[in-house]
mmCIF file of all heavy atoms in Angstrom:
data_model
loop_
_atom_site.group_PDB
_atom_site.id
_atom_site.type_symbol
_atom_site.label_atom_id
_atom_site.label_comp_id
_atom_site.label_asym_id
_atom_site.label_seq_id
_atom_site.Cartn_x
_atom_site.Cartn_y
_atom_site.Cartn_z
ATOM 1 N N GLY A 11 12.240 21.918 45.012
ATOM 2 C CA GLY A 11 11.926 23.330 44.823
ATOM 3 C C GLY A 11 10.508 23.578 44.370
ATOM 4 O O GLY A 11 10.154 24.683 43.971
ATOM 5 N N ALA A 12 9.639 22.560 44.460
ATOM 6 C CA ALA A 12 8.270 22.696 43.963
ATOM 7 C C ALA A 12 7.300 23.274 44.989
ATOM 8 O O ALA A 12 6.343 23.945 44.606
ATOM 9 C CB ALA A 12 7.755 21.344 43.492
ATOM 10 N N THR A 13 7.523 23.017 46.283
ATOM 11 C CA THR A 13 6.550 23.454 47.288
ATOM 12 C C THR A 13 7.215 24.003 48.542
ATOM 13 O O THR A 13 8.356 23.696 48.852
ATOM 14 C CB THR A 13 5.623 22.287 47.729
ATOM 15 O OG1 THR A 13 6.422 21.266 48.331
ATOM 16 C CG2 THR A 13 4.823 21.726 46.578
ATOM 17 N N LEU A 14 6.430 24.819 49.253
ATOM 18 C CA LEU A 14 6.775 25.274 50.600
ATOM 19 C C LEU A 14 5.691 24.762 51.525
ATOM 20 O O LEU A 14 4.528 24.617 51.111
ATOM 21 C CB LEU A 14 6.820 26.800 50.692
ATOM 22 C CG LEU A 14 7.935 27.534 49.972
ATOM 23 C CD1 LEU A 14 7.869 29.026 50.291
ATOM 24 C CD2 LEU A 14 9.297 26.990 50.354
ATOM 25 N N GLY A 15 6.042 24.511 52.764
ATOM 26 C CA GLY A 15 5.083 24.048 53.760
ATOM 27 C C GLY A 15 5.088 24.955 54.975
ATOM 28 O O GLY A 15 6.137 25.176 55.584
ATOM 29 N N PHE A 16 3.927 25.494 55.316
ATOM 30 C CA PHE A 16 3.761 26.372 56.470
ATOM 31 C C PHE A 16 3.142 25.569 57.609
ATOM 32 O O PHE A 16 2.091 24.935 57.426
ATOM 33 C CB PHE A 16 2.809 27.532 56.141
ATOM 34 C CG PHE A 16 3.351 28.496 55.138
ATOM 35 C CD1 PHE A 16 3.268 28.236 53.776
ATOM 36 C CD2 PHE A 16 3.932 29.690 55.548
ATOM 37 C CE1 PHE A 16 3.754 29.136 52.841
ATOM 38 C CE2 PHE A 16 4.420 30.599 54.619
ATOM 39 C CZ PHE A 16 4.333 30.320 53.265
ATOM 40 N N LEU A 17 3.759 25.587 58.787
ATOM 41 C CA LEU A 17 3.182 24.945 59.953
ATOM 42 C C LEU A 17 2.091 25.861 60.500
ATOM 43 O O LEU A 17 2.326 27.058 60.703
ATOM 44 C CB LEU A 17 4.245 24.695 61.016
ATOM 45 C CG LEU A 17 5.114 23.461 60.780
ATOM 46 C CD1 LEU A 17 5.960 23.599 59.537
ATOM 47 C CD2 LEU A 17 5.970 23.173 61.976
ATOM 48 N N VAL A 18 0.895 25.305 60.682
ATOM 49 C CA VAL A 18 -0.260 26.051 61.165
ATOM 50 C C VAL A 18 -0.858 25.311 62.367
ATOM 51 O O VAL A 18 -0.536 24.144 62.587
ATOM 52 C CB VAL A 18 -1.319 26.231 60.047
ATOM 53 C CG1 VAL A 18 -0.800 27.114 58.933
ATOM 54 C CG2 VAL A 18 -1.772 24.884 59.494
ATOM 55 N N PRO A 19 -1.741 25.938 63.146
ATOM 56 C CA PRO A 19 -2.293 25.272 64.328
ATOM 57 C C PRO A 19 -3.048 23.990 63.967
ATOM 58 O O PRO A 19 -3.636 23.892 62.883
ATOM 59 C CB PRO A 19 -3.261 26.307 64.905
ATOM 60 C CG PRO A 19 -2.786 27.616 64.381
ATOM 61 C CD PRO A 19 -2.213 27.324 63.021
ATOM 62 N N PRO A 20 -3.047 23.004 64.874
ATOM 63 C CA PRO A 20 -3.798 21.769 64.615
ATOM 64 C C PRO A 20 -5.278 22.103 64.457
ATOM 65 O O PRO A 20 -5.792 23.015 65.100
ATOM 66 C CB PRO A 20 -3.546 20.923 65.855
ATOM 67 C CG PRO A 20 -3.123 21.871 66.918
ATOM 68 C CD PRO A 20 -2.465 23.020 66.212
ATOM 69 N N GLY A 21 -5.939 21.391 63.581
ATOM 70 C CA GLY A 21 -7.353 21.630 63.304
ATOM 71 C C GLY A 21 -7.582 22.541 62.117
ATOM 72 O O GLY A 21 -8.702 22.645 61.613
ATOM 73 N N THR A 22 -6.548 23.220 61.636
ATOM 74 C CA THR A 22 -6.670 24.123 60.491
ATOM 75 C C THR A 22 -7.157 23.366 59.261
ATOM 76 O O THR A 22 -7.964 23.881 58.481
ATOM 77 C CB THR A 22 -5.336 24.832 60.189
ATOM 78 O OG1 THR A 22 -4.959 25.602 61.332
ATOM 79 C CG2 THR A 22 -5.431 25.731 58.971
ATOM 80 N N ALA A 23 -6.698 22.130 59.089
ATOM 81 C CA ALA A 23 -7.046 21.339 57.897
ATOM 82 C C ALA A 23 -8.551 21.145 57.761
ATOM 83 O O ALA A 23 -9.057 21.076 56.639
ATOM 84 C CB ALA A 23 -6.337 19.990 57.926
ATOM 85 N N ALA A 24 -9.258 21.093 58.865
ATOM 86 C CA ALA A 24 -10.709 20.849 58.818
ATOM 87 C C ALA A 24 -11.444 21.936 58.052
ATOM 88 O O ALA A 24 -12.461 21.666 57.408
ATOM 89 C CB ALA A 24 -11.263 20.744 60.233
ATOM 90 N N GLY A 25 -10.938 23.173 58.083
ATOM 91 C CA GLY A 25 -11.627 24.251 57.398
ATOM 92 C C GLY A 25 -10.838 24.882 56.258
ATOM 93 O O GLY A 25 -11.226 25.914 55.738
ATOM 94 N N TRP A 26 -9.742 24.248 55.872
ATOM 95 C CA TRP A 26 -8.883 24.829 54.836
ATOM 96 C C TRP A 26 -9.418 24.469 53.457
ATOM 97 O O TRP A 26 -9.559 23.297 53.135
ATOM 98 C CB TRP A 26 -7.452 24.335 54.982
ATOM 99 C CG TRP A 26 -6.482 25.113 54.148
ATOM 100 C CD1 TRP A 26 -6.037 24.781 52.906
ATOM 101 C CD2 TRP A 26 -5.882 26.356 54.468
ATOM 102 N NE1 TRP A 26 -5.176 25.750 52.438
ATOM 103 C CE2 TRP A 26 -5.065 26.733 53.382
ATOM 104 C CE3 TRP A 26 -5.947 27.195 55.576
ATOM 105 C CZ2 TRP A 26 -4.312 27.906 53.382
ATOM 106 C CZ3 TRP A 26 -5.206 28.358 55.568
ATOM 107 C CH2 TRP A 26 -4.404 28.701 54.478
ATOM 108 N N ASP A 27 -9.716 25.470 52.630
ATOM 109 C CA ASP A 27 -10.272 25.208 51.301
ATOM 110 C C ASP A 27 -9.743 26.184 50.265
ATOM 111 O O ASP A 27 -10.429 26.524 49.312
ATOM 112 C CB ASP A 27 -11.794 25.260 51.348
ATOM 113 C CG ASP A 27 -12.338 26.634 51.735
ATOM 114 O OD1 ASP A 27 -11.540 27.511 52.102
ATOM 115 O OD2 ASP A 27 -13.554 26.816 51.680
ATOM 116 N N LEU A 28 -8.511 26.613 50.431
ATOM 117 C CA LEU A 28 -7.936 27.598 49.514
ATOM 118 C C LEU A 28 -7.429 26.884 48.264
ATOM 119 O O LEU A 28 -6.533 26.042 48.348
ATOM 120 C CB LEU A 28 -6.797 28.352 50.191
ATOM 121 C CG LEU A 28 -6.225 29.532 49.429
ATOM 122 C CD1 LEU A 28 -7.275 30.643 49.290
ATOM 123 C CD2 LEU A 28 -5.011 30.074 50.162
ATOM 124 N N PRO A 29 -8.002 27.192 47.084
ATOM 125 C CA PRO A 29 -7.543 26.548 45.848
ATOM 126 C C PRO A 29 -6.043 26.747 45.631
ATOM 127 O O PRO A 29 -5.491 27.805 45.937
ATOM 128 C CB PRO A 29 -8.356 27.258 44.756
ATOM 129 C CG PRO A 29 -9.571 27.773 45.465
ATOM 130 C CD PRO A 29 -9.091 28.139 46.845
ATOM 131 N N GLY A 30 -5.402 25.707 45.118
ATOM 132 C CA GLY A 30 -3.975 25.768 44.841
ATOM 133 C C GLY A 30 -3.099 25.418 46.020
ATOM 134 O O GLY A 30 -1.877 25.484 45.934
ATOM 135 N N SER A 31 -3.717 25.064 47.140
ATOM 136 C CA SER A 31 -2.966 24.681 48.330
ATOM 137 C C SER A 31 -3.605 23.437 48.935
ATOM 138 O O SER A 31 -4.703 23.060 48.568
ATOM 139 C CB SER A 31 -2.968 25.818 49.362
ATOM 140 O OG SER A 31 -4.275 26.009 49.885
ATOM 141 N N ALA A 32 -2.885 22.828 49.861
ATOM 142 C CA ALA A 32 -3.416 21.665 50.578
ATOM 143 C C ALA A 32 -3.031 21.811 52.041
ATOM 144 O O ALA A 32 -1.999 22.396 52.366
ATOM 145 C CB ALA A 32 -2.826 20.379 50.008
ATOM 146 N N CYS A 33 -3.867 21.291 52.921
ATOM 147 C CA CYS A 33 -3.552 21.308 54.348
ATOM 148 C C CYS A 33 -3.662 19.880 54.866
ATOM 149 O O CYS A 33 -4.708 19.243 54.751
ATOM 150 C CB CYS A 33 -4.484 22.239 55.104
ATOM 151 S SG CYS A 33 -3.954 22.510 56.821
ATOM 152 N N THR A 34 -2.575 19.374 55.425
ATOM 153 C CA THR A 34 -2.499 18.015 55.939
ATOM 154 C C THR A 34 -2.732 18.019 57.438
ATOM 155 O O THR A 34 -2.109 18.795 58.164
ATOM 156 C CB THR A 34 -1.107 17.424 55.640
ATOM 157 O OG1 THR A 34 -0.865 17.525 54.242
ATOM 158 C CG2 THR A 34 -1.006 15.984 56.067
ATOM 159 N N ARG A 35 -3.608 17.137 57.892
ATOM 160 C CA ARG A 35 -3.906 17.017 59.325
ATOM 161 C C ARG A 35 -2.810 16.243 60.038
ATOM 162 O O ARG A 35 -2.255 15.311 59.505
ATOM 163 C CB ARG A 35 -5.196 16.226 59.548
ATOM 164 C CG ARG A 35 -6.412 16.837 58.975
ATOM 165 C CD ARG A 35 -7.577 15.855 59.145
ATOM 166 N NE ARG A 35 -8.592 16.138 58.171
ATOM 167 C CZ ARG A 35 -9.729 16.768 58.461
ATOM 168 N NH1 ARG A 35 -9.984 17.108 59.681
ATOM 169 N NH2 ARG A 35 -10.604 17.023 57.520
ATOM 170 N N THR A 36 -2.591 16.638 61.283
ATOM 171 C CA THR A 36 -1.712 15.855 62.145
ATOM 172 C C THR A 36 -2.515 15.252 63.288
ATOM 173 O O THR A 36 -1.962 14.591 64.136
ATOM 174 C CB THR A 36 -0.585 16.723 62.731
ATOM 175 O OG1 THR A 36 -1.170 17.715 63.564
ATOM 176 C CG2 THR A 36 0.269 17.343 61.661
ATOM 177 N N TRP A 37 -3.805 15.535 63.326
ATOM 178 C CA TRP A 37 -4.698 15.055 64.389
ATOM 179 C C TRP A 37 -4.245 15.573 65.751
ATOM 180 O O TRP A 37 -4.470 14.948 66.771
ATOM 181 C CB TRP A 37 -4.814 13.539 64.381
ATOM 182 C CG TRP A 37 -5.278 13.044 63.052
ATOM 183 C CD1 TRP A 37 -4.530 12.407 62.119
ATOM 184 C CD2 TRP A 37 -6.570 13.209 62.481
ATOM 185 N NE1 TRP A 37 -5.275 12.153 61.005
ATOM 186 C CE2 TRP A 37 -6.532 12.616 61.202
ATOM 187 C CE3 TRP A 37 -7.764 13.776 62.921
ATOM 188 C CZ2 TRP A 37 -7.647 12.594 60.365
ATOM 189 C CZ3 TRP A 37 -8.864 13.749 62.082
ATOM 190 C CH2 TRP A 37 -8.794 13.171 60.828
ATOM 191 N N GLY A 38 -3.580 16.732 65.756
ATOM 192 C CA GLY A 38 -3.214 17.374 67.017
ATOM 193 C C GLY A 38 -2.044 16.746 67.740
ATOM 194 O O GLY A 38 -1.731 17.137 68.844
ATOM 195 N N ARG A 39 -1.370 15.776 67.132
ATOM 196 C CA ARG A 39 -0.219 15.154 67.795
ATOM 197 C C ARG A 39 0.931 16.140 67.815
ATOM 198 O O ARG A 39 1.142 16.901 66.879
ATOM 199 C CB ARG A 39 0.213 13.901 67.036
ATOM 200 C CG ARG A 39 -0.810 12.799 67.081
ATOM 201 C CD ARG A 39 -0.274 11.613 66.343
ATOM 202 N NE ARG A 39 -0.019 11.986 64.954
ATOM 203 C CZ ARG A 39 -0.509 11.337 63.918
ATOM 204 N NH1 ARG A 39 -1.247 10.288 64.083
ATOM 205 N NH2 ARG A 39 -0.227 11.722 62.694
ATOM 206 N N ALA A 40 1.704 16.096 68.885
ATOM 207 C CA ALA A 40 2.882 16.962 68.970
ATOM 208 C C ALA A 40 3.958 16.415 68.048
ATOM 209 O O ALA A 40 4.192 15.221 67.989
ATOM 210 C CB ALA A 40 3.394 17.039 70.394
ATOM 211 N N THR A 41 4.568 17.282 67.310
ATOM 212 C CA THR A 41 5.674 16.941 66.429
ATOM 213 C C THR A 41 6.901 17.652 66.969
ATOM 214 O O THR A 41 6.819 18.803 67.380
ATOM 215 C CB THR A 41 5.374 17.436 65.003
ATOM 216 O OG1 THR A 41 4.175 16.833 64.563
ATOM 217 C CG2 THR A 41 6.498 17.091 64.058
ATOM 218 N N ARG A 42 8.022 16.984 66.948
ATOM 219 C CA ARG A 42 9.252 17.639 67.396
ATOM 220 C C ARG A 42 10.004 18.111 66.167
ATOM 221 O O ARG A 42 10.299 17.329 65.271
ATOM 222 C CB ARG A 42 10.090 16.685 68.225
ATOM 223 C CG ARG A 42 9.425 16.436 69.565
ATOM 224 C CD ARG A 42 10.424 15.860 70.532
ATOM 225 N NE ARG A 42 9.987 15.977 71.894
ATOM 226 C CZ ARG A 42 10.150 17.039 72.664
ATOM 227 N NH1 ARG A 42 10.720 18.111 72.212
ATOM 228 N NH2 ARG A 42 9.745 17.043 73.914
ATOM 229 N N LEU A 43 10.252 19.397 66.134
ATOM 230 C CA LEU A 43 10.914 20.003 64.986
ATOM 231 C C LEU A 43 12.392 20.180 65.279
ATOM 232 O O LEU A 43 12.765 20.993 66.123
ATOM 233 C CB LEU A 43 10.294 21.364 64.685
ATOM 234 C CG LEU A 43 8.802 21.344 64.388
ATOM 235 C CD1 LEU A 43 8.304 22.767 64.211
ATOM 236 C CD2 LEU A 43 8.507 20.501 63.187
ATOM 237 N N PRO A 44 13.230 19.435 64.596
ATOM 238 C CA PRO A 44 14.670 19.588 64.815
ATOM 239 C C PRO A 44 15.210 20.810 64.089
ATOM 240 O O PRO A 44 14.609 21.294 63.143
ATOM 241 C CB PRO A 44 15.241 18.309 64.217
ATOM 242 C CG PRO A 44 14.265 17.949 63.139
ATOM 243 C CD PRO A 44 12.905 18.390 63.645
ATOM 244 N N ALA A 45 16.347 21.281 64.542
ATOM 245 C CA ALA A 45 17.002 22.397 63.856
ATOM 246 C C ALA A 45 17.392 21.981 62.443
ATOM 247 O O ALA A 45 17.339 22.778 61.517
ATOM 248 C CB ALA A 45 18.236 22.850 64.637
ATOM 249 N N ALA A 46 17.767 20.704 62.279
ATOM 250 C CA ALA A 46 18.035 20.171 60.942
ATOM 251 C C ALA A 46 16.688 19.807 60.324
ATOM 252 O O ALA A 46 15.724 19.557 61.035
ATOM 253 C CB ALA A 46 18.926 18.938 61.039
ATOM 254 N N PRO A 47 16.574 19.753 58.998
ATOM 255 C CA PRO A 47 15.310 19.402 58.355
ATOM 256 C C PRO A 47 14.784 18.049 58.862
ATOM 257 O O PRO A 47 15.568 17.133 59.108
ATOM 258 C CB PRO A 47 15.665 19.324 56.872
ATOM 259 C CG PRO A 47 16.869 20.194 56.745
ATOM 260 C CD PRO A 47 17.613 20.052 58.039
ATOM 261 N N PRO A 48 13.447 17.934 59.024
ATOM 262 C CA PRO A 48 12.867 16.729 59.616
ATOM 263 C C PRO A 48 12.810 15.513 58.691
ATOM 264 O O PRO A 48 12.543 14.424 59.149
ATOM 265 C CB PRO A 48 11.459 17.181 60.003
ATOM 266 C CG PRO A 48 11.151 18.277 59.058
ATOM 267 C CD PRO A 48 12.464 18.958 58.783
ATOM 268 N N ALA A 49 13.025 15.688 57.409
ATOM 269 C CA ALA A 49 12.955 14.551 56.477
ATOM 270 C C ALA A 49 13.978 14.741 55.367
ATOM 271 O O ALA A 49 14.307 15.879 54.993
ATOM 272 C CB ALA A 49 11.550 14.443 55.881
#
């Protein structure tokens, strides 16, 4: 219950600098999002 994660377009991490948040790169790879939680 500590964090939420928003999926954003690839490349967003390169310019993301909002204090209190983090943006993780996927290097543009396609991820398959299942209806059930992915992890």
